[in-house]
Amino acid sequence: MPAGRHAVVVGGSLAGLLAAHVLAGHADRVTVVERDRFPDGAQPRPGVAQGRHPHVLLEGGQTALESLLPGFLADLRAAGAPRVGMPSDLVLRQDERWFRRVPATTHIYTGSRAQLEELLRRRVLANPVISVVEGTDVVGLAGDASRVRGVLVRDRSGDARGEQRTLDADLVVDASGSGTKAPQWLTAIGAEAPREETIDTGLAYASRVYRGKDGVLGGDTAGYYVYPSPAQVHGGGALPLEDGTHLVIVSGLRGDEPPTDDDAFATYAKRLPHPLLHRWLDEAEPLSPAFGYRRTANVRRRYDLPGRRPAGFLATGDALCTFNPIYGQGMAVAAMSAVALRDALADPRRTPTTLRVQRAVLAASRQAWDISAGADRKMPGALGTAVAARPADRAAEWYLRRVQERYPSDPVVGRAFRAVLTLSAPVTALFAPPVVRAVLFGAPQPTPAEPPTVPEA
């Protein structure tokens, strides 16, 4: 985008802040319009519906954030965010098997969403090019089907008939999250809404903060997690926060949602395939109420496909592609999408047209979508427009099933699969010669019979 222009970003969460940071290198002014008022310090806010639930920053997201904001990971560590090695620091279980706690090949950050967002907000909003309009709703787009020329805004006074005003802009970026109203906004100016692809398992979860007498298993164990699967649909665990507490989550599918009643929350943990978490909860001190969350569908909005859409409008973050939060991909994809936006705008070989940039941003989420959607379409009761597997998906299932049978116990397969799952390596890493040999010719190695209390040397 040529210098001297004004960009508006709808939404001041991670995706919006990072988009604003990138656009500040290409515009005279960048305005972030945020419906909430930002809290003082690291506090949850209403506009982040998942803010009180576990968040992890995968390695792919760490790399992207550090590329955008050098030194950010050092800030995160200095603030006390736990850096957890996988699989060595966690007790993990999936498909009735405990994972071997071999030396870590990747690390995740498990601190609170509020902490990470506050650190990011502090860094990004220090740029004088970027300003924020808080407590304000975007209620529509200005312009027509050929070009967006700004946004219609209204103060959040609670009066739906309150006075609207126009905020002119040369570029509008929708980072308003999974509840985006952009499809309706586009229709209202004579443009075409994007086609949506959806997969909804009906998964619901509830979370609560606890302080234990020790870690979940004590000693060298940072946390515990049971991954849901078609054969074992209940999931949950406990992940460490920056203040020494643990954020506990339990999950179930449609019709068997976890309760938010405080006593029933701990009882629900008995649905997990091992009593480890429930025993720990019996001795731990609850520090918060239980909070529930049920909007976990995967939704991809195909702005990249042909259609009557205006120039000057882009979508990013959850407004573009929303994942089942249980896979922990959202923050990483927000950062990777900002890197894609940066690179597309700076590419000297191609004119950064709206469609070209939008396709680049969507491509940054493709691997995460394939992982999340691929797993969820196999869950019982999954609904949506994208549930049916494609021929290519069916062709890969046999190989991937063998990968999943081996990765809890085989260090070679585990390293490659974790790199793919944490978005730090492409899917082709699963077809490197050592991995192929282990998958095609090696038998699955034994896994621990009981929760492994210490990491392997």
Side-chain angles (χ1 to χ4, degrees), residues 10-40:
V10 183
S13 195
L14 266 70
L17 290 170
L18 290 171
H21 172 73
V22 169
L23 294 173
H26 299 269
D28 237 9
R29 294 183 298 129
V30 179
T31 303
V32 177
V33 182
E34 170 52 47
R35 67 192 305 270
D36 286 341
R37 294 196 178 276
F38 290 129
D40 293 329

Side-chain angles (χ1 to χ4, degrees), residues 54-59 62 73-86 89-90 106-116 119 221-224 238-247 331:
H55 282 73
V56 298
L57 181 60
L58 303 178
E59 191 168 321
Q62 296 169 36
L73 295 182
D75 292 345
L76 202 56
R77 289 192 295 272
R83 182 173 180 263
V84 177
M86 294 180 66
D89 294 343
L90 296 173
T106 188
H107 291 78
I108 60 173
Y109 285 91
T110 65
S112 67
R113 166 66 178 260
Q115 181 196 60
L116 189 145
L119 291 172
T221 302
Y224 166 65
L239 295 175
L241 294 174
E242 59 269 16
D243 60 359
T245 63
H246 280 76
L247 188 50
M331 296 197 302

Side-chain angles (χ1 to χ4, degrees), residues 52 207-211 246-247 262 285-291:
R52 297 182 184 276
S207 305
R208 195 178 187 192
V209 178
Y210 283 81
R211 187 181 302 279
H246 280 76
L247 188 50
D262 291 346
E285 176 190 5
L287 299 180
S288 78
F291 294 93

Side-chain angles (χ1 to χ4, degrees), residues 262-303:
D262 291 346
D263 293 333
F265 176 87
T267 301
Y268 191 90
K270 290 182 177 180
R271 286 169 166 79
L272 297 182
H274 191 278
L276 188 155
L277 181 63
H278 184 259
R279 290 172 182 167
W280 185 78
L281 292 177
D282 275 347
E283 298 184 354
E285 176 190 5
L287 299 180
S288 78
F291 294 93
Y293 191 75
R294 298 190 179 187
R295 292 175 53 189
T296 61
N298 303 278
V299 182
R300 182 160 62 171
R301 298 174 178 88
R302 299 305 301 268
Y303 290 103

Side-chain angles (χ1 to χ4, degrees), residues 103-194:
T105 61
T106 188
H107 291 78
I108 60 173
Y109 285 91
T110 65
S112 67
R113 166 66 178 260
Q115 181 196 60
L116 189 145
E117 191 172 301
E118 194 271 336
L119 291 172
L120 183 64
R121 193 162 56 236
R122 189 189 311 165
R123 285 283 298 270
V124 170
L125 298 186
N127 188 333
V129 173
I130 301 172
S131 61
V132 180
V133 178
E134 299 178 62
T136 301
D137 281 323
V138 173
V139 296
L141 298 172
D144 53 38
S146 62
R147 171 164 286 279
V148 166
R149 303 188 184 280
V151 293
L152 308 177
V153 300
R154 182 173 56 219
D155 291 340
R156 295 198 73 205
S157 61
D159 182 359
R161 297 168 298 176
E163 183 179 352
Q164 294 182 13
R165 64 186 188 278
T166 300
L167 191 58
D168 294 328
D170 301 283
L171 175 67
V172 172
V173 177
D174 178 23
S176 59
S178 59
T180 176
K181 299 296 190 294
Q184 296 94 306
W185 299 342
L186 290 167
T187 301
I189 61 171
E192 190 176 343

